[in-house]
């Protein structure tokens, strides 16, 4: 099956710093999504982004489908950004496969 | 928030007992999924459904069965629970076509 790799696995930032999270995938996909799991365990959909760039406040995402990667940018990080960030790729039959996530800690 | 309810939210059971987890949606979405989340493994797909009575296996389906007799309900059954099935189980839904995936709040299952 398709392989999804996220990097870095762990990231520690000071409040106000910027960061870039990466998601690589091993085969062509129908679309890609980014999720944030907060410290209470809730999974929130951040972006649905099969290709191109989208922005939502301090977060933006870019997917280059032809090169099989996606990037999630977090600017001016806040402590509430802490948690785990997952990317998921959708293949045929609407199966979604997740990467193992990036654990982000933002310190005040 | 997407209308997804998982029940129960927490359950402790003994090895060898049957367990059924329920996912209920009010969005009338076509696709429903069951994932398990374990440390070091991210989210792994157990089973998913692409319509009433239409289901397919995911990457970790052994020891699990599912049923979907109505659009709004997707049941996950552990016929004989084992300690390796201790995990957090998430249900997710997605509409037909290019659309985002939305998760329920999860069920924490402990098998002793």
């Amino acid at each position: 099956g398709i392989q999804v790799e996220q990097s870095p696995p762990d990231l520690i930032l000071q409040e106000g710093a910027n960061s870039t999270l990466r998601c690589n995938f091993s085969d062509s996909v129908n679309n890609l999504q980014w999720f944030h799991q907060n410290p209470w365990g809730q999974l929130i959909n951040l972006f649905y982004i099969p290709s191109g760039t989208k922005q939502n406040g301090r977060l933006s995402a870019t997917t280059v489908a032809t090169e099989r990667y996606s990037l999630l940018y977090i600017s001016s990080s806040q402590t509430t950004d802490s948690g785990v960030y997952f990317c998921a790729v959708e293949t045929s039959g609407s199966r979604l496969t997740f990467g193992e996530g990036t654990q982000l800690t933002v310190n005040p | 928030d997407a209308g997804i309810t998982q029940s129960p939210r927490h359950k402790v059971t003994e090895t060898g007992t049957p367990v059924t987890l329920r996912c209920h949606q009010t969005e009338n979405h076509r696709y429903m999924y069951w994932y398990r989340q374990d440390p070091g493994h991210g989210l792994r797909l157990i089973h998913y459904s692409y319509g009433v009575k239409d289901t397919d296996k995911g990457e970790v389906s052994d020891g699990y069965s599912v049923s979907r007799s109505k659009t709004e309900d997707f049941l996950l059954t552990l016929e004989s629970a084992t300690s390796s099935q201790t995990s957090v189980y998430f249900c997710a839904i997605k509409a037909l076509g290019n659309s985002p995936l939305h998760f329920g709040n999860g069920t924490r299952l402990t098998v002793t």
Side-chain angles (χ1 to χ4, degrees):
Chain A
I2 192 167
Q3 304 299 309
V4 182
E5 295 183 355
Q6 292 188 240
S7 59
D10 298 280
L11 185 60
I12 300 174
L13 302 173
Q14 286 300 121
E15 203 166 24
N18 302 328
S19 62
T20 301
L21 283 58
R22 188 177 180 100
C23 174
N24 292 332
F25 43 98
S26 61
D27 205 347
S28 58
V29 299
N30 295 333
N31 76 69
L32 184 142
Q33 305 188 34
W34 283 96
F35 297 85
H36 175 224
Q37 186 170 37
N38 64 27
W40 297 271
Q42 294 175 312
L43 284 151
I44 307 299
N45 192 298
L46 297 175
F47 293 102
Y48 169 89
I49 184 167
S51 62
T53 297
K54 290 185 177 180
Q55 182 154 6
N56 184 2
R58 295 180 296 102
L59 274 61
S60 65
T62 295
T63 297
V64 184
T66 54
E67 297 187 20
R68 298 179 184 170
Y69 74 89
S70 183
L71 302 174
L72 178 68
Y73 305 95
I74 303 174
S75 64
S76 303
S77 58
Q78 300 176 358
T79 56
T80 52
D81 295 330
S82 295
V84 185
Y85 290 81
F86 292 101
C87 69
V89 298
E90 182 174 343
T91 54
S92 61
S94 288
R95 292 174 64 108
L96 284 105
T97 301
F98 282 74
E100 294 191 3
T102 292
Q103 174 78 55
L104 176 65
T105 301
V106 181
N107 292 322
Chain B
D1 291 343
I4 311 168
T5 304
Q6 292 187 232
S7 59
R9 291 296 315 278
H10 303 272
K11 186 171 182 66
V12 179
T13 192
E14 293 183 349
T15 298
T17 60
V19 177
T20 295
L21 309 183
R22 181 183 185 232
C23 179
H24 177 79
Q25 62 148 328
T26 58
E27 305 295 323
N28 200 37
H29 283 353
R30 178 171 179 171
Y31 296 96
M32 298 186 76
Y33 305 79
W34 278 108
Y35 287 88
R36 61 178 289 174
Q37 185 175 27
D38 306 288
H41 290 282
L43 289 144
R44 293 181 292 174
L45 181 64
I46 305 171
H47 283 278
Y48 69 106
S49 169
Y50 46 95
V52 174
K53 298 185 179 179
D54 290 324
T55 65
D56 204 353
K57 295 179 180 180
E59 58 185 306
V60 290
S61 60
D62 287 350
Y64 302 94
S65 62
V66 290
S67 66
R68 191 171 180 198
S69 58
K70 299 184 290 184
T71 298
E72 58 266 34
D73 290 325
F74 193 32
L75 304 180
L76 177 71
T77 297
L78 292 66
E79 299 291 347
S80 178
T82 67
S83 58
S84 64
Q85 294 175 312
T86 292
S87 187
V88 179
Y89 292 85
F90 285 96
C91 173
I93 65 173
K94 193 179 83 70
L96 180 65
N98 296 326
S99 58
L101 185 73
H102 295 287
F103 281 91
N105 286 330
T107 293
R108 184 174 296 275
L109 176 68
T110 302
V111 183
T112 61

